[in-house]
Amino acid sequence: MNVFETAKNHFASQLPFVLFCKPNSHKIVGVFQQNDQLFELNDVTESGFAFVSFDGKQRYYLPVSECNVVVNQNNQMDFHLSKEVTASFDEKAKNSFENLVANGIQSIQNNQFQKVVLSRKELISVPNIDVVSVFKQLIFNYKTAFNYCFYHPKIGLWMGATPEQFIKIEGTTLKTVALAGTQLFDNDLMWQNKEREEQQLVTDFITQNLQLFSNQVAVSEPKTVQAGNLAHLKTDILAVIDKVNLGQIIDKLHPTPAVCGMPKEPAMQFIVANEGYNREFYTGFLGELNIDFTSYKTENSDLFVNLRCMKVEEEQATVFVGCGITKDSIPEKEFFETVNKSITIKKSIV
């Protein structure tokens, strides 16, 4: 069975499905729900493909018991090279976002929080979008990302190429990452104190919370990783867990300072009050929950933060982009960071 043809038929029939390709994987997985029911993820012991919002209030999944699974090899013979996308922006959007960042910096200086992650959205016309072609292009462009296309008639169509692991569990081993700090990739790039401090805040938050569940937590040194045209600072974190409720860990970690801020609650309150739009599933998380769809091992989970993504509706794509703000942030520089991040999606749909 061809995973792409099945996806096209499901989409035309308005039936839920997800296509995904894991980082550096040669397998494309399709999970196809056989009815249009919207299943709420009430208990994190359930198995399926999870799709959870930024604020955690919308928790849905495609249950294994209701789905057919198709796995194909990643054949890139019909992929095409993307057009070059030049960085462009709207002056009004630039001023608005820079004012938002300045407000965030002022709140940090007033000791409301140490860091806040602020975002904005861009609207792009996408008449007659071919979701399979866009998904293929994401895989071609971003082999080291978690590429996905998620559709549910009662949620909408979301697509993305996220560079950030949320939680990966194999038996009693839990792996996660602290990913923060962004600049255009260059072989001679240098990290400033602002980016290193931002990344350390995320690392400290994750390790301190994991230590509530494990007395064996290991942390690597930060390293530079490439994600498309961008570079990030990344720290690998590993914990040994035993008979721990995954739901409790998720509640402690989500959303992390990499997508929200620190401390979590005042940062989230600032975001909700000031960003001016609902993030929905952007900066939420998604992926395999208590199931590996290729091996059917139910003790495994593989979840990712929903970054570098877009929502498509009525021939229009909403592209979401954001950046971490600390006391050393420069509003104009932060705006252009979001412009660079938007290219991830734009070069796959232009």
Side-chain angles (χ1 to χ4, degrees):
M1 185 179 293
N2 183 283
V3 69
F4 296 131
E5 290 302 318
T6 307
K8 288 180 179 179
N9 293 335
H10 249 58
F11 190 51
S13 302
Q14 297 187 359
L15 288 172
F17 71 91
V18 64
L19 299 176
F20 66 88
C21 184
K22 293 184 180 182
N24 302 306
S25 174
H26 297 293
K27 294 180 179 179
I28 297 172
V29 181
V31 181
F32 302 99
Q33 191 173 303
Q34 298 305 296
N35 54 61
D36 65 356
Q37 185 174 340
L38 184 59
F39 292 93
E40 293 192 5
L41 186 62
N42 298 313
D43 185 346
V44 184
T45 62
E46 295 156 322
S47 298
F49 190 94
F51 202 64
V52 177
S53 64
F54 163 64
D55 61 12
K57 295 178 180 178
Q58 295 175 280
R59 294 173 173 245
Y60 304 114
Y61 77 122
L62 308 184
V64 173
S65 59
E66 303 288 338
C67 297
N68 292 334
V69 179
V70 180
V71 181
N72 285 175
Q73 289 297 308
N74 180 1
N75 184 348
Q76 298 184 349
M77 294 302 291
D78 58 346
F79 293 15
H80 61 276
L81 290 174
S82 302
K83 296 178 181 177
E84 286 298 316
V85 177
T86 57
S88 60
F89 62 90
D90 174 79
E91 195 66 36
K92 184 178 178 181
K94 180 175 184 290
N95 292 335
S96 177
F97 189 72
E98 288 178 6
N99 288 335
L100 174 64
V101 172
N103 193 1
I105 295 169
Q106 184 62 58
S107 296
I108 293 171
Q109 292 172 345
N110 292 341
N111 297 316
Q112 290 181 235
F113 36 74
Q114 293 173 273
K115 173 188 174 180
V116 65
V117 179
L118 299 176
S119 70
R120 64 184 182 90
K121 60 182 182 179
E122 292 187 17
L123 302 180
I124 302 172
S125 176
V126 287
N128 304 313
I129 188 170
D130 184 332
V131 295
V132 167
S133 293
V134 175
F135 176 70
K136 287 181 178 181
Q137 201 59 46
L138 288 172
I139 297 173
F140 183 84
N141 290 332
Y142 307 110
K143 297 177 179 63
T144 61
F146 179 81
N147 296 289
Y148 80 91
C149 171
F150 179 96
Y151 172 71
H152 196 296
K154 297 172 184 175
I155 295 177
L157 172 65
W158 287 73
M159 305 182 75
T162 175
E164 184 169 350
Q165 182 89 54
F166 177 41
I167 292 174
K168 183 173 185 176
I169 293 179
E170 296 175 309
T172 59
T173 300
L174 182 151
K175 297 178 182 178
T176 185
V177 299
L179 190 75
T182 304
Q183 57 181 297
L184 287 172
F185 182 81
D186 186 287
N187 290 324
D188 299 318
L189 64 81
M190 297 287 290
W191 294 105
Q192 303 301 315
N193 287 337
K194 184 265 179 184
E195 289 93 0
R196 292 190 178 279
E197 178 185 293
E198 180 186 349
Q199 206 271 345
Q200 192 61 50
L201 286 172
V202 180
T203 302
D204 292 345
F205 171 86
I206 293 174
T207 54
Q208 289 166 11
N209 279 282
L210 284 179
Q211 285 166 354
L212 300 174
F213 304 97
S214 171
N215 57 10
Q216 299 181 63
V217 179
V219 182
S220 75
E221 290 296 319
K223 61 183 177 182
T224 300
V225 293
Q226 184 176 0
N229 62 320
L230 303 176
H232 304 287
L233 273 173
K234 174 184 174 183
T235 297
D236 294 305
I237 302 169
L238 184 148
V240 178
I241 58 174
D242 185 25
K243 297 181 180 178
V244 171
N245 186 325
L246 176 57
Q248 292 178 331
I249 297 176
I250 288 174
D251 288 343
K252 283 291 185 182
L253 296 184
H254 176 69
T256 73
V259 296
C260 180
M262 187 175 179
K264 182 193 297 187
E265 291 307 319
M268 180 173 281
Q269 290 171 10
F270 182 89
I271 289 167
V272 172
N274 292 277
E275 274 191 342
Y277 79 100
N278 183 357
R279 289 188 182 186
E280 300 179 76
F281 296 93
Y282 166 61
T283 61
F285 66 87
L286 73 164
E288 296 169 305
L289 182 67
N290 300 313
I291 187 70
D292 181 324
F293 280 108
T294 57
S295 68
Y296 279 86
K297 292 182 178 179
T298 55
E299 67 270 25
N300 292 359
S301 294
D302 204 0
L303 304 171
F304 293 81
V305 182
N306 196 8
L307 301 174
R308 312 291 193 276
C309 65
M310 66 176 176
K311 179 182 181 181
V312 181
E313 52 188 345
E314 298 179 356
E315 299 191 340
Q316 182 173 266
T318 302
V319 177
F320 302 90
V321 283
C323 51
I325 308 303
T326 69
K327 67 181 188 304
D328 298 320
S329 290
I330 300 170
E332 186 175 47
K333 183 178 178 181
E334 301 298 344
F335 173 76
F336 283 113
E337 179 177 315
T338 68
V339 171
N340 291 329
K341 286 178 176 176
S342 71
I343 292 174
T344 299
I345 290 294
K346 287 179 178 178
K347 74 179 296 186
S348 297
I349 58 177
V350 169

